[in-house]
Amino acid sequence: GPAFRRRGGGLGVVASTLLPLLALFRSNLLQLVGLSAAIIVPTLVLAGATSQFIDQYIKLGNLYVGIPIVWISLAACVVLALLLISQFLLLRRMESVLSRRFSAELFSALFSAPYRYYQQRSTGELATRMLLGVQISQLLVKQGFRFFVSVLQSLLLLLAAIFISPTLALLAAI
């Protein structure tokens, strides 16, 4: 109706809300970058060990190389699993902190609304609004931070591939 007043401010409000959150998670983001770089090492070790296993053990029949390559591969798998678990726990902790923060702000805004606000809305709409804090934090971490981590790991793998073989890296990038 004529008394409707649009609230919110578009992308400016989103940016002014997210930038302080990024500052809040500065150390966690640095840990994510470090874990992303560390995850590259066992990934490359597995790729190299697989290549050597195929070349030395299967093609050339060098039997003395098979067992050490298997042990190296198993150790790399264990290290990779531990690093991925650490990364998952860090992202989960960030999601939990964001969820609590967003939910607290949302609940204070919802519970300070006048009684008429609750009369005009259905129960489902109110319940959906109360879950927005959890949904926004999940969206930010799962879509935002995990995408950032995946892109960073891909770029680091591409840099390692360029160092190992520029021609193959160029083919892989295309």
Side-chain angles (χ1 to χ4, degrees), residues 102-124:
F102 285 152
S103 294
E105 290 175 8
L106 192 67
F107 285 164
S108 66
L110 278 175
F111 292 138
S112 64
Y115 182 68
R116 186 172 179 199
Y117 175 82
Y118 296 103
Q119 287 178 331
Q120 294 175 346
R121 283 165 179 75
S122 67
T123 307

Side-chain angles (χ1 to χ4, degrees), residues 135-162:
Q135 292 171 345
I136 290 172
S137 64
Q138 287 177 348
L139 179 74
L140 187 63
V141 170
K142 289 181 180 172
Q143 303 281 324
F145 290 141
R146 287 190 182 165
F147 175 75
F148 166 73
V149 166
S150 298
V151 168
L152 181 65
Q153 288 173 348
S154 299
L155 289 175
L156 290 173
L157 274 173
L158 187 61
L159 286 175
I162 288 172

